Amino acid sequence: MLAMVFSIIDRQVLALLVEPIKDDLALSDTELGVLLGPAFVSCYLLFGLPFGWAADRFPRRYVIALGVGIWCLATITCGLVGSFALLVVARALVGAGEAALTPSSMSMLSDVFPRERMPLVTSVLSIAMHLGAASAFLVGGLVVSLVGEGVVFIPFLGELSAWRMTFVVVGTPGLALVAVFLLIREPLRTGTATTAENERNDYRTETAARSLRDFYRANRQTLNVHMSVSALLTLSTYAFVSWAPSYLMRVHNASTENAAFTLGLVSLICGPLGALGGGVLSTRLHRNRGRDDAPWIVMATSALGAALFGALAFTTTNKMIMFPFVALAMLFGSLYLGVIHGALQMITPAHLKGQMAAIMLMAMTGIGTTLGPVTVALLTDQVFRDPLRVGHSIALVSVAAGLVAGYLLLRNLTSFQSSYRKVASL
């Protein structure tokens, strides 16, 4: 959880700094969209599957330690570069490092908890995402407030403006986690014991799914829907978190500090409530109602609720009306965050868990994280042609992604049930 908090801080703090970076480097909204999306995603995609492969074969704590070191140093570098091109490279390296975390952590957790509890476990873990997002806004806002329009002199680094100092401040503490992960205990992998029973279980598992290709062929519909929905929900989420600060600053004349405090507080309260609520709801539906498809029901609720309240939040000009809708959009939009990872672990054989987690992250980041920020920017620049209409761009993306995701999930519930029972029968 602590590693994920730092990863989200380092990933999301850029959203708070969009306006000062835009002014300092003379960037367009489209260039900022590239920084928020494709620049990060490029190496995230490139290294995602290799890190997933490594998580299934090497000590996962070492894989995570390597990733933490890379992304923290890259975050610090973001505050030191002086051009758009170098900032793109630094953001790409942040993505490369962060690609190591989720495949290894999902694999480790699935060796500690039974698969029926994984949606709840990953929902608890996903609370870290909201703590990280809130911390990015709150810490970033504090640094901007303290530095103001001046600069801070740092030995060996020189004079740094507020936005540059923010990257250095949020990137440095995570380096301590490298030592932590080198020292923690590695859990025993499920299915690797040498007892006769486990050997028979391994044989049946490997016979049913010898490779990723065989597993995909046996669960094509379920995996296609799950990956598509993962991408759509991520697209909607990143459209929201990447441009909400700019929306508050442009439309409601909020300062950087006020926007940071507002969004940080909403994320800190509503995010964990939604994430934990999604895990609890999924577990109860499965345990009390016998719904093997409980994670998908929760994800559909998340998609449709976030679409509705996101559209209402970003199309009103009344600030007092906007804030409750933003809170509700954050609450519903958080229901899926942990459940979506747990659902995949529920239907995946043990020897493919790290790789499948990496593949899903590739879908989420390759489409969702890339297109979310860029789509909003393109709609604002090319369709609405007005920076003050950024809220309408966010709302449009949220509604389209949410409605399609909700439909796909509810239309294919029986497919998830079938995949769940296939693994249960092994």
Side-chain angles (χ1 to χ4, degrees):
M1 285 186 71
L2 188 58
M4 187 169 288
V5 167
F6 281 116
S7 75
I8 299 301
I9 291 174
D10 292 355
R11 182 188 310 183
Q12 283 303 119
V13 73
L14 177 63
L16 177 66
L17 306 174
V18 161
E19 297 303 314
I21 292 175
K22 179 178 183 178
D23 294 338
D24 195 359
L25 300 182
L27 305 181
S28 68
D29 275 4
T30 301
E31 287 175 318
L32 290 167
V34 170
L35 288 173
L36 290 164
F40 173 87
V41 169
S42 57
C43 280
Y44 197 104
L45 291 176
L46 183 63
F47 287 90
L49 194 54
F51 275 131
W53 177 88
D56 287 333
R57 288 163 176 79
F58 301 104
R60 292 157 290 188
R61 59 198 180 107
Y62 295 154
V63 177
I64 295 177
L66 175 63
V68 172
I70 292 173
W71 93 57
C72 288
L73 291 174
T75 299
I76 296 171
T77 304
C78 286
L80 306 179
V81 298
S83 69
F84 171 71
L86 291 177
L87 191 54
V88 167
V89 173
R91 283 288 290 175
L93 290 175
V94 174
E98 293 195 14
L101 179 58
T102 299
S104 293
S105 62
M106 291 297 120
S107 178
M108 292 174 79
L109 287 170
S110 67
D111 288 337
V112 178
F113 297 95
R115 71 192 187 105
E116 291 79 9
R117 297 193 66 194
M118 280 303 294
L120 178 58
V121 171
T122 53
S123 293
V124 172
L125 180 65
S126 72
I127 291 174
M129 300 180 68
H130 297 285
L131 296 177
S135 298
F137 289 135
L138 295 175
V139 174
L142 178 61
V143 174
V144 170
S145 177
L146 292 175
V147 177
E149 299 296 326
V151 295
V152 174
F153 178 79
I154 303 295
F156 305 109
L157 300 181
E159 294 183 344
L160 302 178
S161 61
W163 71 266
R164 296 181 182 278
M165 187 64 189
T166 301
F167 279 119
V168 174
V169 168
V170 301
T172 302
L175 291 172
L177 284 178
V178 175
V180 172
F181 275 101
L182 292 176
L183 297 174
I184 66 171
R185 180 181 178 183
E186 177 91 4
L188 179 68
R189 294 180 188 267
T190 56
T192 58
T194 57
T195 65
E197 181 180 357
N198 279 345
E199 288 175 354
R200 288 194 297 270
N201 287 339
D202 286 348
Y203 176 78
R204 290 199 299 269
T205 298
E206 292 176 9
T207 300
R210 297 185 188 90
S211 67
L212 283 172
R213 181 180 298 177
D214 294 333
F215 176 61
Y216 171 73
R217 286 175 176 174
N219 299 274
R220 178 177 296 147
Q221 184 175 353
T222 303
L223 293 175
N224 284 345
V225 171
H226 196 79
M227 298 303 173
S228 299
V229 168
S230 300
L232 288 168
L233 293 179
T234 306
L235 186 150
S236 178
T237 297
Y238 274 85
F240 178 99
V241 300
S242 297
W243 289 102
S246 292
Y247 168 75
L248 291 178
M249 295 177 203
R250 295 178 186 180
V251 178
H252 296 286
N253 298 316
S255 65
T256 301
E257 299 92 322
N258 288 338
F261 177 78
T262 299
L263 294 173
L265 186 62
V266 170
S267 180
L268 191 61
I269 296 173
C270 297
L273 284 176
L276 186 58
V280 171
L281 180 58
S282 177
T283 300
R284 289 187 176 179
L285 283 173
H286 185 275
R287 180 185 301 163
N288 300 336
R289 300 294 180 88
R291 298 295 310 223
D292 295 336
D293 54 8
W296 274 20
I297 294 175
V298 173
M299 289 162 58
T301 302
S302 177
L304 298 175
L308 171 63
F309 293 113
L312 293 173
F314 292 105
T315 54
T316 180
T317 57
N318 188 317
K319 187 183 298 185
M320 299 306 296
I321 295 176
M322 179 202 67
F323 286 128
F325 286 145
V326 167
L328 288 170
M330 180 74 74
L331 183 68
F332 276 90
S334 302
L335 292 175
Y336 83 91
L337 285 173
V339 173
I340 201 168
H341 294 284
L344 184 62
Q345 296 295 310
M346 288 173 65
I347 62 172
T348 303
H351 65 290
L352 297 175
K353 288 181 182 293
Q355 294 171 78
M356 285 307 303
I359 290 172
M360 188 177 78
L361 283 174
M362 291 172 67
M364 295 172 75
T365 55
I367 299 175
T369 307
T370 301
L371 295 184
V374 172
T375 302
V376 171
L378 289 174
L379 287 171
T380 304
D381 281 347
Q382 306 299 326
V383 178
F384 295 113
R385 297 182 180 275
D386 183 359
L388 296 178
R389 299 285 297 277
V390 65
H392 290 80
S393 301
I394 299 172
L396 184 59
V397 171
S398 177
V399 169
L403 290 179
V404 174
Y407 171 79
L408 288 175
L409 289 165
L410 296 177
R411 182 73 174 76
N412 294 280
L413 290 177
T414 55
S415 176
F416 185 87
Q417 296 169 4
S418 175
S419 296
Y420 177 83
R421 290 163 187 163
K422 285 178 186 176
V423 175
S425 66
L426 294 177

